[in-house]
Amino acid sequence: MLGKIEVMVIAGTEAYNLDFGGFGRVVGSTVVETPFGKSAKVSLIDMNGISAGVMSRHGERGYSISAPFVNYHANIWAAKELGAKRIISWNGAGAINRLLSVGDFVILDDLIDMTRKRDYTFYPDRGYGFIRQNPVFCSEVRSALYQAASQFSPHVFRRGVYVCTEGPRLETASEIRVFDTWGADVVGMTPVPEVYLAKELEMCYASITYISNYAEGLVKPQESKQEGVFGSLLPADEAAVLKESVQLLPKIVSTAISLLSEERDCPCVTAMKKYRDRGDIGDDWHTWVNTENS
Ligand SMILES: [Zn+2]
């Protein structure tokens, strides 16, 4: 019988090429049946005595599910069902801020949501969901991620604003110029709605981004025959740097998990408290969500 997990890792682009043994000892795997359909496959991993799950957001064999089509509800439900109190995600993103280079890591601290047609809530018909997004990402998990990443790379940025677009298409050069004036540092397609959904079920969520390419219009596109989702956007030397950074992610994430204290002292724990205090919801989170029409 597989035990409960403490943390769920949602691994981003290139996860399907990684050896999950890099996180720790793989002890099994499961797929969770949820009211929203099947979750992504969860590899259950013993990370230095801490039970964690790892799922590949974009599929098991290559980039088969693009960002708008990920079953975010099923994946976040699965994390909660398996017992996770925290979620750590990673994602590849394009650099908008000129200080950033391919292979750098950014611990996200804010978000501009430019998605257009995702399902943003577990509570469409219940009147819950007025949940603060300042901070968007859990500061406890962010700080562990920063500490861990700094052990493995000199190129770690403590903060960064992520603009999340709908996709699957990439952005136009004009869109990037606008995002730049808004103060966005990186652009990608994935933390929305993961972070909102995690918070609605009172789980912590933080994300480490690695720079996989330069946003459109910032660097002249160059010819390349590199493989992978972002490879065609990069010259060969940068593709090698990118590969190295991706290989570090399991180490960074498992180290961050070992740095987290067991008790949480952050607003994520009480995200739904006002509804509990009002008597709108009980202790069993399953009953918070109306699953009849899902
Ligand atoms: Zn938290």
Side-chain angles (χ1 to χ4, degrees):
M1 173 75 185
L2 296 163
K4 292 258 176 193
I5 61 169
E6 292 289 315
V7 184
M8 178 68 86
V9 177
I10 302 180
T13 312
E14 301 293 341
Y16 33 79
N17 292 330
L18 289 173
D19 174 11
F20 280 15
F23 289 100
R25 193 167 57 87
V26 181
V27 295
S29 70
T30 185
V31 171
V32 180
E33 298 278 354
T34 83
F36 303 92
K38 283 187 166 92
S39 74
K41 183 178 130 190
V42 182
S43 296
L44 300 159
I45 299 178
D46 179 343
M47 298 188 192
N48 299 313
I50 301 167
S51 302
V54 180
M55 53 170 66
S56 170
R57 186 193 282 122
H58 296 291
E60 292 293 308
R61 283 179 225 94
Y63 191 91
S64 54
I65 310 168
S66 68
F69 307 105
V70 172
N71 192 341
Y72 296 102
H73 280 64
N75 290 348
I76 299 296
W77 179 286
K80 185 76 176 176
E81 187 78 293
L82 291 171
K85 297 188 190 75
R86 295 167 164 128
I87 296 176
I88 292 180
S89 83
W90 83 61
N91 29 58
I96 296 178
N97 187 324
R98 273 87 172 159
L99 294 174
L100 296 170
S101 304
V102 163
D104 288 356
F105 294 103
V106 183
I107 315 300
L108 302 179
D109 79 316
D110 212 342
L111 185 66
I112 299 171
D113 182 354
M114 292 300 290
T115 62
R116 291 172 183 171
K117 49 178 186 181
R118 303 204 183 168
D119 281 334
Y120 301 97
T121 179
F122 277 118
Y123 314 124
D125 51 359
R126 301 217 152 177
Y128 319 149
F130 285 96
I131 293 175
R132 289 187 71 176
Q133 302 298 332
N134 181 23
V136 186
F137 301 103
C138 174
S139 53
E140 283 191 354
V141 182
R142 283 187 54 235
S143 136
L145 275 172
Y146 179 73
Q147 230 181 303
S150 303
Q151 289 180 24
F152 296 97
S153 166
H155 306 291
V156 186
F157 290 76
R158 194 187 285 270
R159 296 179 178 284
V161 177
Y162 186 110
V163 56
C164 191
T165 59
E166 180 62 40
R169 69 165 179 89
L170 289 166
E171 304 74 35
T172 68
S174 292
E175 287 167 342
I176 294 299
R177 277 198 298 277
V178 172
F179 299 153
D180 191 16
T181 64
W182 289 354
D185 298 301
V186 297
V187 59
M189 300 170 193
T190 44
V192 175
E194 272 174 11
V195 62
Y196 311 146
L197 297 177
K199 216 174 262 188
E200 284 190 343
L201 298 183
E202 297 187 328
M203 288 180 285
C204 300
Y205 181 104
S207 193
I208 180 169
T209 283
Y210 63 94
I211 302 301
S212 52
N213 59 287
Y214 298 99
E216 291 294 356
L218 294 185
V219 169
K220 199 164 171 265
Q222 300 178 51
E223 279 297 316
S224 170
K225 297 208 175 348
Q226 298 305 307
E227 291 173 357
V229 176
F230 300 113
S232 59
L233 302 172
L234 291 176
D237 53 339
E238 291 198 309
V241 172
L242 170 61
K243 197 171 175 194
E244 254 173 62
S245 289
V246 170
Q247 300 287 345
L248 288 176
L249 283 163
K251 282 262 170 294
I252 291 174
V253 168
S254 55
T255 303
I257 288 172
S258 70
L259 293 170
L260 289 164
S261 58
E262 211 168 302
E263 290 302 313
R264 296 187 293 162
D265 183 20
C266 50
C268 325
V269 186
T270 51
M272 294 291 284
K273 182 175 182 294
K274 62 183 167 194
Y275 303 110
R276 221 176 350 253
D277 289 350
R278 235 161 55 180
D280 291 350
I281 58 170
D283 288 334
D284 179 4
W285 63 272
H286 297 91
T287 64
W288 304 353
V289 183
N290 180 357
T291 53
E292 275 165 29
N293 304 316
S294 55

